[in-house]
Amino acid sequence: MSDNRDVGAKSVKSWKKSDHHGAGEWLAERGTSLVLIPLTLWAAYAAYSIAGGGFDAAIAFARAPLNAGLIALTMLISVWHMYMGVKVIIDDYLQGGLRGFSIFLTFLLSAALVLATGYALFVLHQGA
């Protein structure tokens, strides 16, 4: 078995960009996780409370300003958390142009989800 320490040193240099690279992303991922804990508990309670009421009860629930705000916040934080997680997977496993294109598509999907949620809540509050 060979003990070539030079190979290990070169590979570490090739991936390590700086001592602080990724620290902000890591903190953002943990921050969204912490914020999602109470939001998920609220969503579970909300789903339980309107479960037997049917469509009209769900509409009435979502029309309440506090509930609409919490729905929007939950979706925004969830989509942001999803985007960061998928971006890390893409960064780890894809290279070159495919990597950039995949991150762009992930961003478009994330933006579409947030915009669709916002539009649905807007239409709901317009009375349509």
Side-chain angles (χ1 to χ4, degrees):
M1 185 154 122
S2 138
D3 187 22
N4 189 350
R5 295 180 193 271
D6 191 37
V7 172
K10 286 182 183 177
S11 64
V12 169
K13 288 179 185 176
S14 68
W15 62 263
K16 188 173 182 181
K17 295 178 181 161
S18 75
D19 289 338
H20 301 289
H21 177 73
E25 291 175 356
W26 186 88
L27 285 173
E29 290 168 5
R30 279 24 178 215
T32 56
S33 296
L34 288 174
V35 172
L36 281 173
I37 292 170
L39 289 173
T40 303
L41 292 173
W42 168 82
Y45 171 76
Y48 177 77
S49 67
I50 63 173
F55 183 75
D56 292 333
I59 295 296
F61 176 83
R63 279 192 174 155
L66 177 64
N67 293 333
L70 288 173
I71 290 169
L73 184 64
T74 301
M75 275 304 291
L76 179 66
I77 300 296
S78 296
V79 169
W80 183 22
H81 185 77
M82 177 216 53
Y83 171 75
M84 289 187 296
V86 172
K87 184 179 177 297
V88 167
I89 292 169
I90 291 169
D91 284 339
D92 287 347
Y93 293 104
L94 296 179
Q95 299 171 358
L98 185 60
R99 180 183 156 275
F101 183 69
S102 298
I103 290 173
F104 177 70
L105 284 180
T106 303
F107 175 78
L108 284 181
L109 173 65
S110 301
L113 288 171
V114 169
L115 291 174
T117 301
Y119 180 72
L121 289 172
F122 174 77
V123 168
L124 183 69
H125 284 275
Q126 295 301 315

